Amino acid sequence: MSRTTIHQVIGIREFILVVFYTTDADCWEFRLVSASGVVFGERKIYYTPRAAEKAAQDWLAKGR
C-alpha cells in the first residue's frame, strides 16, 4: 500500500502549493491547486522537499 505524507502547504498568488512525499516512487512531488479547485503539476521525481518547492515556483514563473 502506498503512503503520501504532506510536508508543506503554501499560498502562492492564487494557488495553493502542496509538497508531499510518496512511497509509490520514494520521492518528493508537488501539486498546485487553483482557487477553483483545479489541480496542476507533473509527475516528476524530486529528491528533497526544497527541490520540489523550487520546481513548483519555476513552473508557475513559466506560466504553465
Side-chain angles (χ1 to χ4, degrees):
M1 176 167 63
S2 66
R3 279 190 27 204
T4 300
T5 303
I6 295 175
H7 173 73
Q8 195 169 35
V9 177
I10 303 170
I12 299 177
R13 297 194 311 240
E14 69 274 6
F15 294 94
I16 295 172
L17 166 61
V18 180
V19 176
F20 60 94
Y21 185 84
T22 177
T23 59
D24 280 344
D26 288 325
C27 66
W28 295 91
E29 294 185 37
F30 74 86
R31 294 295 182 274
L32 293 159
V33 183
S34 72
S36 61
V38 179
V39 179
F40 299 94
E42 302 171 324
R43 291 189 54 96
K44 290 190 175 181
I45 295 171
Y46 302 98
Y47 294 104
T48 67
R50 178 65 188 123
E53 179 185 346
K54 182 173 179 343
Q57 292 172 348
D58 293 346
W59 197 82
L60 277 174
K62 291 179 183 175
R64 293 186 183 170

